[in-house]
Amino acid sequence: MKDFSPSPGVGGITTARFQAARHANHLTPAQRRQNRDALRGYLRPPGMIKNHWLLAEAFTYKAKDPDAAFTVPAQYEFDGASVPWLLSAFVPRSHSDILGAAALHDWLYAQAHESVPRRRADAVLREALQRLGLNWFWAMLMWRAVRVGGWEPWYARKESGFVPWFLSLPGSVRTPLSWAFMACAFLAGFAHDLARAGRFRAEGERICEEDC
């Protein structure tokens, strides 16, 4: 008889509930109205307005390897998947099927960074995306993207060092240098990932077998 008990990474993250943070239930009507008034002041297209999501209730994600459980608390606010708007046609920032993984990854970066190394946090994202149903190839691609682009939010909290110095440069200097570096790093990393695609596919097949 097939065992229908929840697989290790399934449970809280697959039933997580979210609200638009600007319209969250815990705000007063006056606060929600003030947020709407501020939103009306934005003249940019909706796709260029930063997301503000709120976790309606806490959820726990049980990672597979090594075994660990991470609980994201209720009312945690995050911006969805941190995807540049030019690429959001390929990976929407607020796609319903990956929102839970985005909340988990943002929380690991912002609140659990002292106990969870960055490499581990990124690996948890890749696993969580697949447990939510994303194809292994796209999970691999998004994992590579955060491996390349996640350095800024991860190291920006440091008070001294290269990253704080780099972030203090004028945007006209910092932005093109940052994009050039990340583009080169992504292409090199993606080529390396394709060479070992069998490993990522096997991970996806394992997760599927545990879930089906």
Side-chain angles (χ1 to χ4, degrees):
M1 180 179 294
K2 183 175 176 58
D3 181 10
F4 285 96
S5 60
S7 55
V10 178
I13 197 171
T14 61
T15 56
R17 297 191 303 111
F18 306 93
Q19 286 187 305
R22 294 185 179 95
H23 313 303
N25 290 341
H26 73 280
L27 299 176
T28 66
Q31 288 173 319
R32 289 196 290 269
R33 189 179 308 110
Q34 184 178 17
N35 288 339
R36 290 195 296 272
D37 287 341
L39 188 60
R40 293 184 183 105
Y42 287 112
L43 298 180
R44 290 169 290 177
M48 296 178 65
I49 298 175
K50 186 176 181 179
N51 284 309
H52 289 284
W53 284 100
L54 193 77
L55 187 61
E57 59 186 36
F59 73 80
T60 297
Y61 178 79
K62 295 181 180 179
K64 178 67 175 177
D65 185 27
D67 186 48
F70 306 105
T71 298
V72 186
Q75 296 191 7
Y76 176 67
E77 189 170 334
F78 66 107
D79 64 354
S82 301
V83 180
W85 68 270
L86 286 173
L87 301 178
S88 60
F90 298 96
V91 181
R93 299 176 183 179
S94 295
H95 195 291
S96 58
D97 291 324
I98 65 174
L99 203 54
L104 174 62
H105 188 249
D106 280 9
W107 180 81
L108 289 173
Y109 262 44
Q111 303 297 328
H113 57 89
E114 293 185 358
S115 58
V116 181
R118 182 184 166 214
R119 183 178 295 275
R120 172 68 171 137
D122 294 344
V124 168
L125 171 69
R126 188 181 70 237
E127 179 187 285
L129 286 168
Q130 294 175 86
R131 292 202 179 279
L132 286 171
L134 193 66
N135 179 271
W136 68 268
F137 177 81
W138 284 101
M140 179 191 76
L141 202 68
M142 292 179 66
W143 167 78
R144 174 53 59 186
V146 298
R147 290 300 301 153
V148 170
W151 61 272
E152 182 175 326
W154 183 268
Y155 294 107
R157 63 176 63 93
K158 294 182 177 293
E159 296 181 359
S160 61
F162 173 77
V163 174
W165 171 81
F166 181 77
L167 295 178
S168 69
L169 295 175
S172 58
V173 176
R174 182 185 70 249
T175 301
L177 287 176
S178 180
W179 275 93
F181 163 76
M182 289 190 292
C184 292
F186 180 84
L187 291 174
F190 183 57
H192 180 64
D193 295 338
L194 288 178
R196 52 179 185 156
R199 167 194 159 191
F200 295 104
R201 177 179 292 184
E203 178 187 58
E205 291 174 349
R206 172 181 61 79
I207 290 173
C208 182
E209 289 173 0
E210 292 173 350
D211 186 43
C212 294

